[in-house]
Amino acid sequence: MAIAGEDVIREGLKEVIDPELGVNIVDLGLIYEINTSEDDNNVDIKMTLTFPGCPAGPYIIAQVHQVVEDLEGVEEVDVEIVWDPAWSPEMMSEEIRMEYGYM
């Protein structure tokens, strides 16, 4: 069975909402990289949080696992939290930046 592609995974991740901001993690700019492996049906995700020590971090990571593991063909999900580059409001989608007054 073929594994879901990056676009499908990214769209699925829009279901994961940052509970403090009420915005999905894709539009917040928290997803840095998505890699899939057809060999073992694994998905590797590099992402960040809005700040180190974010109290919603464990919840968000658990939701990422749940959403991606439910996608067709995905066997395993590895989520790596990275801090470089550090998240900033400029990483949000244009629509969200406008909504929050960052334009």
Side-chain angles (χ1 to χ4, degrees):
M1 178 181 298
I3 192 168
E6 180 179 345
D7 291 341
V8 172
I9 294 168
R10 192 170 293 279
E11 193 62 33
L13 288 172
K14 288 184 177 183
E15 295 178 23
V16 180
I17 306 297
D18 182 303
E20 294 176 320
L21 299 174
V23 176
N24 76 72
I25 64 173
V26 173
D27 287 336
L28 274 177
L30 299 183
I31 303 298
Y32 287 170
E33 188 176 309
I34 298 171
N35 293 302
T36 60
S37 170
E38 292 288 336
D39 295 335
D40 54 14
N41 291 350
N42 289 353
V43 176
D44 296 320
I45 298 173
K46 286 187 181 179
M47 63 174 289
T48 196
L49 300 169
T50 53
F51 63 93
C54 173
Y59 169 80
I60 292 171
I61 294 166
Q63 292 298 302
V64 167
H65 276 277
Q66 182 177 343
V67 165
V68 178
E69 287 169 356
D70 286 346
L71 295 173
E72 184 175 339
V74 176
E75 295 291 327
E76 187 175 319
V77 178
D78 179 47
V79 177
E80 180 182 357
I81 300 296
V82 296
W83 302 109
D84 187 25
W87 180 86
S88 69
E90 292 79 29
M91 294 176 167
M92 294 186 285
S93 69
E94 183 177 337
E95 178 182 331
I96 299 302
R97 283 194 317 267
M98 287 176 61
E99 185 177 318
Y100 281 87
Y102 286 104
M103 296 294 286

